[in-house]
């Protein structure tokens, strides 16, 4: 890879006397800007899988970790679906704010590591730090940062970046400990998130880009042979012993959806100020597609074919594990793989800035700082808009499905806690939805509450049997160990007695019921489903 020309400073220039800005100051600035940008997310509650992992952690280490080492199909993420929650549950409990702060800091730390990795790959210091800031402030990663369960992407990416940084040092023979550190980081990455499994392939590809394929094979064999061996053992266990998921959202298949997924993910990598649509992800040709084509086209014109092949190849091998998943395309899946596309942006910027005359170095630095600050301003506004934008006037819920389900869970909690008589007790609790024509709303609440884990945690009733029943006419039982709640599509929650009393009062007054069976203060309405 071509390296930018070294900067030259005349003795009389201001930069020669003041020196460059401290790298530590720049890294600290990235962390602070990331915190400020994503801070609105700390006000949201837990959602969906968060409750499942927290409930397992509340039962102890064995319950949280044991399921990952059995011979049954499923994902292998013991560090991020198990150990992380075992460690944080005693500290934070059901307080979501500290979990969100940790996630934002992990994302900021990954941005710093992106800058380090780019410098290891030959990118100049100024450009690597600008691209690290763009990575940190990319609103396309909002759901990865907002959803506590996406700590698996955040931690997995962090370990993958460390494996790449130390791996490059080992391949170049820079440090004696780098070989062991890279292999340890790879093991931790694989135990965090399966999309990191192509890390040794990325290392081999980077060395081949610089020194040729034969040299890459020889270097991997002599200096990092442990990593292909680790990868082989990992695949033998996850595919041969456990097996890929055979049910749920991660079932894989081959079909037209593979290319559709690739198109969708390519349309997210440069979505700096993404505004989430009401449902799903942006469709069709997006600005991210246009920017990606422009960056790749510029590099091809500049005859940087090897860099284009490496960047796109890195993106493809890292995104591959989720391309074959049907009907489960989400923005957080692109978090790991995006490093390949950001590498292309860094090479293009470096190449363009290397053509600027040396005596304009200070101007270039000023432009880069201004670009980072402009990106921060745009990202700050985009995050705030995403956190307050609703599906519609009649549906007061956020557009992002992660934030939407967090709001639903919090509203259920606020209504359930003061009304339930099963707090701290065992028994059965029925969660009922009244409108059979909107079955998707019933499923939405079912998912938002972690299939009942949230209710048990909220009521501190670990042995409570929580049943989400489809819409039906159920009699209110006299048994004190059985309770029935009626919930709405907006997350409001009422006891069956409240609903019956509202029905009686309305029948006596002869009022026209817009929503049959709803209490006077209910938000039950006949509106389209939230999913």
């Amino acid at each position: 890879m071509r390296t930018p020309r070294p900067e030259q400073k005349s003795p009389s220039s201001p930069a020669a006397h003041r020196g460059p800005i401290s790298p530590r100051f720049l890294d600290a600035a990235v962390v602070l800007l990331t915190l400020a940008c994503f801070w609105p997310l700390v006000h949201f509650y837990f959602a969906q899988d968060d409750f499942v992992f927290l409930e397992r952690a509340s039962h102890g280490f064995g319950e949280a970790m044991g399921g990952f080492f059995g011979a049954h199909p499923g994902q292998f993420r013991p560090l991020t679906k198990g150990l992380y929650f075992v460690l944080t549950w005693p500290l934070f409990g059901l307080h979501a704010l500290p979990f969100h702060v940790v996630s934002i800091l992990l994302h900021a730390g990954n941005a710093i590591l992106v800058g380090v990795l780019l410098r290891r790959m030959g990118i100049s210091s100024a450009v690597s730090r600008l691209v690290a800031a763009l990575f940190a402030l990319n609103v396309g990663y909002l759901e990865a940062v907002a959803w506590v369960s996406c700590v698996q992407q955040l931690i997995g990416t962090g370990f993958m970046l460390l494996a790449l940084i130390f791996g490059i040092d080992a391949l170049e023979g820079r440090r004696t400990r780098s070989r062991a550190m890279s292999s340890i980081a790879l093991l931790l990455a694989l135990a965090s998130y399966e999309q990191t499994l192509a890390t040794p392939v990325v290392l081999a590809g980077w060395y081949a880009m610089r020194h040729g394929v034969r040299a890459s094979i020889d270097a991997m064999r002599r200096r990092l042979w442990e990593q292909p061996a680790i990868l082989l053992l990992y695949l033998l266990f996850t595919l041969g012993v456990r097996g890929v998921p055979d049910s749920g959202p991660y079932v894989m298949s081959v079909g037209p959806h593979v290319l559709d997924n690739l198109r969708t993910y390519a349309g997210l990598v440069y979505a700096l100020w993404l505004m989430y649509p009401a449902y799903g992800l942006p469709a069709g040709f997006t600005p991210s597609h246009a920017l990606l084509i422009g960056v790749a086209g510029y590099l091809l014109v500049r005859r940087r074919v090897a860099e284009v092949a490496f960047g796109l190849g890195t993106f493809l091998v890292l995104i591959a594990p989720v391309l074959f998943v049907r009907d489960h395309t989400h923005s957080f899946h692109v978090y790991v793989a995006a490093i390949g596309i950001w590498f292309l942006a860094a090479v293009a910027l470096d190449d363009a800035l290397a053509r600027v005359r040396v005596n304009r170095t200070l101007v270039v630095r000023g432009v880069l700082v201004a670009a980072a600050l402009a990106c921060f301003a745009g990202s700050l506004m985009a995050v705030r808009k995403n956190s307050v934008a609703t599906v519609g006037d009649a549906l007061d819920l956020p557009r992002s499905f992660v934030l939407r389900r967090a709001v639903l869970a919090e509203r259920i909690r606020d209504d359930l806690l003061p009304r339930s008589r099963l707090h701290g007790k065992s028994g059965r609790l029925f969660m009922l939805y009244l409108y059979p024509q909107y079955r998707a709303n019933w499923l939405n609440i079912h998912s938002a509450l972690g299939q009942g884990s949230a209710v048990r945690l909220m009521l501190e009733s670990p042995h409570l049997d929580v049943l989400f029943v489809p819409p039906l006419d159920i009699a209110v039982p006299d048994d004190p160990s059985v309770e029935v709640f009626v919930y709405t599509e907006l997350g409001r929650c009422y006891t069956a007695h409240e609903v019956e009393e509202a029905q009686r009062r309305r029948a006596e007054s002869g009022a026209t019921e817009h929503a049959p069976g709803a209490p006077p203060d209910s938000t039950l309405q006949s509106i389209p489903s939230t999913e």
Side-chain angles (χ1 to χ4, degrees), residues 263 283-287 289-290 293:
R263 174 194 54 77
F285 190 79
T286 69
H289 288 117
I293 292 172

Side-chain angles (χ1 to χ4, degrees), residues 177-455:
R177 292 184 298 176
S178 297
R179 180 174 182 173
M181 296 297 290
S182 181
S183 295
I184 292 172
L186 175 61
L187 281 170
L188 295 174
L190 293 174
S192 300
Y193 194 56
E194 62 275 355
Q195 267 186 269
T196 63
L197 61 87
T199 302
V201 178
V202 175
L203 280 171
W206 174 82
Y207 203 82
M209 177 188 66
R210 293 177 63 96
H211 304 287
V213 175
R214 289 186 179 180
S216 175
I217 295 173
D218 183 62
M220 291 293 293
R221 180 180 59 81
R222 290 187 295 108
R223 298 173 182 171
L224 279 180
W225 64 265
E226 301 93 344
Q227 297 210 1
I230 290 171
L231 180 58
L232 178 61
L233 292 174
Y234 171 81
L235 292 174
L236 287 174
F237 176 71
T238 56
L239 299 180
V241 178
R242 286 181 62 82
V244 297
D246 55 3
S247 61
Y250 281 95
V251 173
M252 297 184 180
S253 62
V254 177
H257 63 281
V258 176
L259 292 179
D260 289 339
N261 288 345
L262 180 59
R263 174 194 54 77
T264 300
Y265 291 133
L268 290 173
V269 286
Y270 287 147
L272 289 174
W273 302 300
L274 172 66
M275 291 302 298
Y276 284 84
Y279 304 103
L281 293 173
F285 190 79
T286 69
S288 177
H289 288 117
L291 188 55
L292 177 56
I293 292 172
V295 169
Y298 170 82
L299 291 174
L300 291 175
V301 170
R302 294 287 296 158
R303 298 181 181 179
R304 310 294 290 269
V305 178
E307 285 88 343
V308 173
F310 171 74
L312 294 180
T314 295
F315 175 72
L316 286 174
V317 297
L318 291 175
I319 201 71
V322 295
L323 288 182
F324 298 92
V325 176
R326 185 187 298 272
D327 301 326
H328 195 66
T329 307
H330 294 295
S331 61
F332 48 79
H333 286 150
V334 82
Y335 189 85
V336 175
I339 182 61
I341 306 301
W342 286 114
F343 169 80
L344 292 180
V347 175
L349 279 171
D350 232 5
D351 185 274
L353 294 179
R355 304 172 68 184
V356 177
R357 289 187 297 180
V358 174
N359 60 1
R360 295 186 181 178
T361 298
L362 292 179
V363 175
V364 169
R365 287 180 177 173
V367 169
L368 295 180
V369 171
L373 293 177
C375 175
F376 167 72
S379 298
L380 184 65
M381 290 188 290
V383 169
R384 293 185 183 279
K385 286 183 178 180
N386 276 300
S387 62
V388 299
T390 59
V391 174
D393 294 336
L395 196 58
D396 181 25
L397 291 170
R399 293 179 177 180
S400 162
F401 93 96
V402 172
L403 302 183
R404 180 159 67 244
R405 290 184 172 175
V407 169
L408 288 171
E410 186 173 30
R411 289 177 180 175
I412 291 284
R413 179 203 65 184
D414 292 343
D415 288 344
L416 184 69
L417 283 177
R419 287 179 167 89
S420 178
R421 64 175 183 268
L422 295 179
H423 194 285
K425 301 177 181 178
S426 59
R428 305 185 82 187
L429 188 148
F430 290 89
M431 299 293 290
L432 179 68
Y433 184 64
L434 291 183
Y435 299 113
Q437 66 269 39
Y438 302 124
R439 180 181 174 88
N441 291 329
W442 168 72
L443 296 173
N444 198 34
I445 298 290
H446 179 259
S447 296
L449 297 180
Q451 298 81 44
S453 294
V455 177

